[in-house]
Amino acid sequence: MGEGGRAIAIAGANRPLGRRVAEALREAPWVTRVVGIESDASSEWVDGVQFVANEGEPRQLVALFQEFAIDTVIHCAFAADRSGTSSEPSGGDVIQTLRLGAAITDPKTSVRSFVVASSSDVYPVSTHAPLVYPEGAEEVGDDGSVAATLVEAERYARDVAERALHIDVELMRLAPVVGRGFSTPFNRLLAQRPLPVPLGYDPTLQLLRVED
């Protein structure tokens, strides 16, 4: 890792998505330090990445961001199925996002960028849904639904940008992930033998390969 570059903390760094991000950033010449945040300190970590066991309590996170002079935080544990740890559709981690937001906006930290790996499941699925949703489309999920928890968790991420204008917030709504090493709904579907095929017209699907 280079000198004088970005210092990045990854929440959920030992999950499949987080590990991929950590491995890529570890080799980036513009990155000085990569710090992985996980609650379990007994796991096998990515070589060259400094891991810290942290339960996500805001005061602990603030101390961690200060200690390592973190300027960018990447939330790779936002949605379990997009992070590669759930073969069932999953909503947003509201509590963890709220805690990260509270720590990031603390005036004692030097964080300037907050990147959230959200989910395209925030968009409703129906026969009347448009083929492509515009960026400003309103997301409304039924109470208790996967989409509703994603909308709520994203709202806390947006609050960071509203409370701290000096922090850039990026919400990335990832399509379903397919590829080796990821436990996701589509990987579970594609692993079945024989592979189910829907009747009628071929559906329009947007998938995200692990390699991408």
Side-chain angles (χ1 to χ4, degrees):
M1 290 183 280
E3 295 295 332
R6 306 295 291 268
I8 301 175
I10 302 173
N14 207 34
R15 306 177 194 200
L17 176 62
R19 291 179 69 88
R20 287 271 181 171
V21 173
E23 289 168 354
L25 292 175
R26 176 189 60 188
E27 306 299 331
W30 47 271
V31 176
T32 301
R33 173 183 288 126
V34 178
V35 178
I37 304 172
E38 272 289 3
S39 58
D40 183 8
S42 63
S43 304
E44 294 184 8
W45 306 122
V46 177
D47 291 339
V49 175
Q50 190 166 0
F51 278 82
V52 177
N54 191 294
E55 295 293 337
E57 199 278 325
R59 285 178 296 180
Q60 295 178 351
L61 289 170
V62 169
L64 185 152
F65 296 159
Q66 286 183 288
E67 178 182 356
F68 296 103
I70 298 297
D71 57 61
T72 301
V73 176
I74 304 177
H75 191 359
C76 288
F78 185 87
D81 60 333
R82 295 307 194 262
S83 66
T85 59
S86 174
S87 60
E88 299 291 338
S90 58
D93 189 336
V94 174
I95 300 301
Q96 179 69 350
T97 305
L98 176 62
R99 289 174 171 176
L100 280 171
I104 288 169
T105 55
D106 190 288
K108 294 190 290 293
T109 73
S110 56
V111 177
R112 294 295 179 268
S113 298
F114 184 31
V115 181
V116 178
S118 184
S119 168
S120 59
D121 286 347
V122 72
Y123 301 114
V125 177
S126 76
T127 56
H128 304 292
L131 185 61
V132 178
Y133 277 94
E135 189 68 23
E138 183 179 2
E139 311 89 14
V140 180
D142 296 331
D143 290 344
S145 67
V146 167
T149 62
L150 290 167
V151 170
E152 183 180 3
E154 283 191 358
R155 189 175 297 122
Y156 285 117
R158 288 194 180 94
D159 285 346
V160 172
E162 294 175 1
R163 296 199 311 267
L165 299 180
H166 62 285
I167 297 177
D168 295 324
V169 177
E170 181 75 20
L171 285 170
M172 302 177 63
R173 291 174 175 164
L174 304 182
V177 181
V178 293
R180 293 182 178 179
F182 274 59
S183 176
T184 67
F186 263 95
N187 270 349
R188 185 185 63 173
L189 175 68
L190 296 175
Q192 295 186 46
R193 294 294 183 271
L195 178 65
V197 177
L199 297 175
Y201 293 104
D202 292 336
T204 300
L205 296 176
Q206 184 177 34
L207 302 176
L208 179 62
R209 292 195 315 166
V210 170
E211 292 76 10
D212 295 331

